[in-house]
Amino acid sequence: MQETRLPRGKRRTSAVRLCALFSVALTAPLFAQNWAFEETFDGQPGTPSAELLPRTFDYAVTHRTHPKEHDKTFVRYPADHGMSCAGPENPVSVPDRQHLVRTTHFSSGAEPDESFYLCRDHMMSSMGDVEGYSVTAFWPKQEFDFSRGGVLEFDVNINDDHPRSWWEVLIAPRDQLRIGPAEDWLPIDETYPADRILLTFHETSKREIKVGTGAIAPDGWTVNEDDWRDWRDIDADDPALSDRRVRRTMRVELERAKIRWSVEKADGTFDTYSAPVPDGLPFTRGLVQFKTHAYTPEKDGNDDAYTFHWDNVRFTGPVVGPYEAYETTELAYLQANGDRDIGDRARQHIALPRAPTASDRPVLVGQLHGALRGQVLLRINGETGARRVDPLHYSDSGCGTTGWTTFRVPLDPEDLNAGTNVFEWEIGPRPDCAIDWWWDGFSVKSLEVQMERDAQQILRPRRRALPRPAPNP
């Protein structure tokens, strides 16, 4: 059985389809317009391919591991689409008809982790066997400007057999981007930024719309609206409920004082759920981050249902220029099962194609694990003095963090040069505030240098040569 949902622009035209379009017109507006950003994930590789993923996105994986296991190799885990990328013909619940992925810490926009791949003109995000709570995230390296109202659309499966796994969309100002955040009650160290719009499609196929401002979560929530209906209450016979190969269009309309979230039904019409925003949206321009959350796969008897299928990601304008991101997949590992020595160092390297200028406004972004206040020191390209790097937020004690947290450091263009740039990390003195069981040392991953691009130089997906089909296992 082939994928039953064809991407927009690639679908068959039929009387049924035309009737469906007429129904849509009666229930929700059709947005036949120019998009400020659009990605249709075109590609027909002979085997699941990360090579063909568009580099207009960043791809990151964050999973909760012990400090001694950051570079651990996890076992491979079933993900949708067989090695031929052609189906599979049997239901996706048959593990031997699926290919296997291994989730690591080393995903980037330049080299996506196996957790992300393209097959049959759409992309998948999956979660391997990570032995703990994890988040995968991908987002366009271009901001969504909804200052005059805006529309975000994407296609995704909505089946309700995802035990301990769900997806959400986080919209936040770029300078507040957090790579792997989650609700404060979940077992992960990083929560949502001070200004955020959160759209969650729970494992029970229910929509939740939340808005926050003024303080990081769990504080600052101003809107918290949960649709009491799951999708079986709305469209009980929808085949998408039991087959995750079937995708439905999500349409999110952002207005000054309202958010509308519409989901396409099996007949082509839309069901709309609205949340009032009495105080108005707290910002009007931000990155759109698509995130999947997952617990240990084997729990609750789940053994193959961790794949989400995505397509036709797009949003309206006005156009905001994309940014460039130059990354490393290296892990700066300055931790152990206990303390590391003060003064220990580790290096990461990032190659830049050109020396940045002031108009590039370079920024260093990455994730820190186990950071103690004042202990994360950095030297760039052999500079004499070390600069201090702090995550965007420490734990409630204000002294340290135990998990992965995002940092953002504006750089002087003169800090960097064309070619290889060396980032040397050093363990600084232990702060007086540190609790006895907090170990000295930290680790760094997802390191990248971001630089601005002109709004007219909109990035297009870079397609690489098709990989050779891999032999069947």
Side-chain angles (χ1 to χ4, degrees):
M1 179 171 143
Q2 301 296 322
E3 295 269 352
T4 57
R5 177 166 178 78
L6 296 175
R8 206 178 282 273
K10 309 163 193 169
R11 302 176 189 169
R12 299 180 181 90
T13 300
S14 65
V16 173
R17 181 63 187 163
L18 290 174
C19 290
L21 289 176
F22 180 73
S23 297
V24 172
L26 295 178
T27 56
L30 283 174
F31 294 94
Q33 58 184 298
N34 294 324
W35 300 93
F37 177 90
E38 182 172 25
E39 177 53 59
T40 57
F41 300 105
D42 294 338
Q44 292 277 348
T47 190
S49 173
E51 289 291 309
L52 284 181
L53 289 171
R55 272 38 177 189
T56 46
F57 287 78
D58 228 333
Y59 304 89
V61 178
T62 303
H63 44 93
R64 189 175 178 234
T65 53
H66 190 279
K68 69 178 181 179
E69 295 183 334
H70 292 333
D71 56 357
K72 178 178 178 179
T73 299
F74 295 100
V75 300
R76 292 189 180 275
Y77 202 74
D80 289 353
H81 286 284
M83 291 305 296
S84 68
C85 233
E89 294 181 0
N90 288 342
V92 291
S93 60
V94 180
D96 63 4
R97 291 291 182 177
Q98 296 174 268
H99 83 291
L100 302 178
V101 301
R102 176 175 288 131
T103 296
T104 72
H105 272 304
F106 307 112
S107 185
S108 70
E111 297 183 40
D113 182 87
E114 287 182 7
S115 307
F116 310 94
Y117 55 98
L118 187 146
C119 244
R120 298 183 56 77
D121 293 320
H122 67 283
M123 76 159 283
M124 273 66 68
S125 63
S126 186
M127 180 62 67
D129 186 0
V130 295
E131 301 178 1
Y133 186 85
S134 303
V135 177
T136 62
F138 64 98
W139 61 95
K141 292 182 281 191
Q142 180 178 326
E143 291 178 272
F144 175 22
D145 185 335
F146 46 93
S147 55
R148 292 177 288 186
V151 179
L152 166 68
E153 279 195 358
F154 56 96
D155 298 349
V156 67
N157 52 302
I158 61 171
N159 56 294
D160 56 1
D161 59 352
H162 266 252
R164 294 179 178 263
S165 182
W166 64 95
W167 61 260
E168 69 183 26
V169 176
L170 174 65
I171 306 175
R174 181 179 158 197
D175 61 0
Q176 296 185 41
L177 171 70
R178 297 184 173 207
I179 296 173
E183 298 278 8
D184 63 288
W185 45 268
L186 288 167
I188 198 165
D189 219 48
E190 188 162 66
T191 63
Y192 302 115
D195 297 318
R196 68 271 185 185
I197 297 169
L198 184 66
L199 309 164
T200 303
F201 199 82
H202 291 285
E203 56 187 326
T204 53
S205 299
K206 289 184 178 182
R207 287 167 284 188
E208 182 181 59
I209 299 175
K210 299 174 74 173
V211 177
T213 187
I216 65 168
D219 299 320
W221 291 115
T222 59
V223 175
N224 189 345
E225 297 289 338
D226 194 350
D227 187 355
W228 61 268
R229 307 165 301 164
D230 62 34
W231 198 249
R232 290 190 183 275
D233 296 321
I234 299 166
D235 197 3
D237 297 326
D238 190 347
L241 283 163
S242 56
D243 190 343
R244 59 185 180 270
R245 292 170 295 183
V246 181
R247 301 184 295 280
R248 296 287 179 240
T249 295
M250 302 283 160
R251 178 177 299 144
V252 180
E253 299 168 72
L254 300 176
E255 299 179 0
R256 186 190 63 80
K258 181 183 292 186
I259 297 175
R260 285 193 294 267
W261 182 352
S262 302
V263 182
E264 182 186 24
K265 299 169 64 176
D267 64 2
T269 62
F270 280 73
D271 180 85
T272 299
Y273 174 68
S274 296
V277 187
D279 297 329
L281 297 175
F283 59 97
T284 58
R285 174 170 159 175
L287 293 178
V288 181
Q289 189 180 50
F290 299 86
K291 300 163 62 248
T292 64
H293 296 258
Y295 282 93
T296 308
E298 288 86 352
K299 291 185 177 180
D300 291 342
N302 179 60
D303 60 6
D304 69 340
Y306 270 37
T307 312
F308 290 98
H309 299 234
W310 306 89
D311 204 1
N312 299 316
V313 172
R314 52 200 177 190
F315 50 73
T316 54
V319 175
V320 177
Y323 63 88
E324 299 172 294
Y326 301 97
E327 303 139 310
T328 180
T329 56
E330 297 169 327
L331 173 70
Y333 183 54
L334 287 169
Q335 290 180 279
N337 190 12
D339 287 317
R340 287 286 296 267
D341 291 335
I342 304 300
D344 279 1
R345 299 185 182 187
R347 289 184 171 185
Q348 292 172 295
H349 305 81
I350 295 178
L352 298 180
R354 57 185 175 82
T357 64
S359 62
D360 291 314
R361 293 183 289 172
V363 177
L364 187 68
V365 177
Q367 289 177 288
L368 291 167
H369 189 281
L372 293 179
R373 184 176 291 276
Q375 198 170 62
V376 182
L377 303 180
L378 171 65
R379 291 179 176 83
I380 301 177
N381 290 328
E383 60 188 342
T384 303
R387 64 185 76 194
R388 172 176 152 176
V389 175
D390 293 290
L392 294 177
H393 175 68
Y394 285 106
S395 62
D396 290 342
S397 68
C399 188
T401 63
T402 55
W404 291 105
T405 52
T406 305
F407 66 88
R408 179 182 177 86
V409 180
L411 300 176
D412 188 313
E414 295 183 0
D415 293 335
L416 306 169
N417 52 56
T420 300
N421 292 262
V422 180
F423 299 84
E424 185 174 62
W425 301 92
E426 178 182 343
I427 301 174
R430 182 178 179 83
D432 293 336
C433 63
I435 303 170
D436 290 342
W437 51 267
W438 283 1
W439 297 333
D440 291 326
F442 59 90
S443 294
V444 187
K445 76 178 189 74
S446 303
L447 189 71
E448 66 182 36
V449 172
Q450 297 179 2
M451 297 195 295
E452 303 302 314
R453 284 178 64 94
D454 186 277
Q456 301 305 313
Q457 297 176 297
I458 302 300
L459 288 171
R460 296 301 178 194
R462 295 208 307 269
R463 304 300 186 193
R464 299 186 179 185
L466 286 173
R468 295 180 180 178
N472 291 324

